[in-house]
Amino acid sequence: MIRNLLNQTHVSETEPEPSRRRFLKAGLGACTLLTLPMAATSVHAAIKRPFEKKLSFLNLHTGERTRATFWANGRYIPEGMRAINHVLRDHRTGDRFAIDPDLFDILHQLQYRLRTNQEFHVVSAYRSPATNAKLAEQSGGVAKNSMHTHGKAIDIRLPGRKLSDLRAAALSLQMGGVGYYPSSNFIHLDTGRVRFWGG
């Protein structure tokens, strides 16, 4: 009799288990069905609105401006690069040079870090060897083989932002060189090794 009671107890404990499993499976199935439209919507949105990288510049010497998409759909955009290269040319000679795309990526990361899409005010970008040689004669602070002559450096400021904040944000990226020139109101950025100077 005790054995029969134990058997009955065992059966009553295990009977609800299959129905509990069915309930859980049904619940999980419903959750999966609910998330499918959301997943499809997010994929559709990604296809409809591809990720883009844009930059804006004002050349302080020529007064020229550009806002261009330089990267989209996983590749650099030649038209956008050309538009930026034109504005960042040597304003003294008119010489143009293909600016290193890594420099654009640094500027885009800086823009993201500062949570802004303001245009960068450009003090100096590409410099022809002739221009750089003249500047090196006039100032000891200009390197003879400056990265500006290779399209790998830019000197900028950002209106409405403290230069010290701009420098701090650039340093936090740990991407390339950062020079600080508070007396001339600009910072230097380049695609060389991580280093900093000035101030």
Side-chain angles (χ1 to χ4, degrees):
M1 186 175 174
I2 293 170
R3 189 175 295 168
N4 286 340
L5 284 171
L6 285 172
N7 286 338
Q8 285 175 7
T9 305
H10 178 70
V11 169
S12 65
E13 284 177 355
T14 56
E15 268 181 351
E17 194 61 28
S19 60
R20 192 178 299 135
R21 278 197 196 122
R22 275 196 299 274
F23 176 76
L24 288 171
K25 282 181 182 176
L28 286 171
C31 289
T32 304
L33 286 172
L34 286 171
T35 58
L36 281 174
M38 291 171 62
T41 302
S42 64
V43 168
H44 178 69
I47 292 168
K48 196 172 180 182
R49 293 192 300 270
F51 179 62
E52 296 179 340
K53 294 181 184 179
K54 296 181 181 182
L55 287 170
S56 300
F57 297 96
L58 166 64
N59 187 313
L60 294 174
H61 300 284
T62 66
E64 294 170 304
R65 284 185 156 95
T66 189
R67 177 166 174 77
T69 300
F70 71 92
W71 189 96
N73 296 320
R75 67 182 185 89
Y76 291 102
I77 307 299
E79 298 82 10
M81 304 279 275
R82 277 195 295 272
I84 296 172
N85 289 340
H86 176 74
V87 171
L88 301 188
R89 71 190 182 280
D90 184 334
H91 70 274
R92 294 174 179 86
T93 65
D95 292 343
R96 278 189 243 176
F97 197 84
I99 304 297
D100 185 350
D102 288 345
L103 189 60
F104 298 151
D105 288 327
I106 291 171
L107 289 165
H108 189 263
Q109 285 295 316
L110 181 59
Q111 183 176 267
Y112 181 78
R113 184 62 57 94
L114 292 166
R115 298 177 184 226
T116 182
N117 59 4
Q118 281 179 276
E119 63 185 5
F120 290 105
H121 286 194
V122 181
V123 176
S124 181
Y126 172 66
R127 287 185 209 145
S128 66
T131 293
N132 198 71
K134 283 181 184 176
L135 293 174
E137 285 174 10
Q138 297 166 9
S139 170
V142 176
K144 288 184 179 179
N145 189 29
S146 169
M147 296 189 81
H148 286 276
T149 64
H150 302 284
K152 295 177 179 290
I154 191 168
D155 300 335
I156 57 164
R157 62 181 68 128
L158 199 57
R161 298 292 182 120
K162 289 181 183 177
L163 196 68
S164 57
D165 292 342
L166 188 58
R167 179 203 188 208
L171 288 172
S172 73
L173 296 177
Q174 290 289 294
M175 297 170 74
V178 179
Y180 185 53
Y181 298 91
S183 60
S184 300
N185 192 27
F186 71 82
I187 67 164
H188 165 102
L189 299 173
D190 66 50
T191 61
R193 61 185 173 80
V194 176
R195 66 207 190 287
F196 63 91
W197 63 93

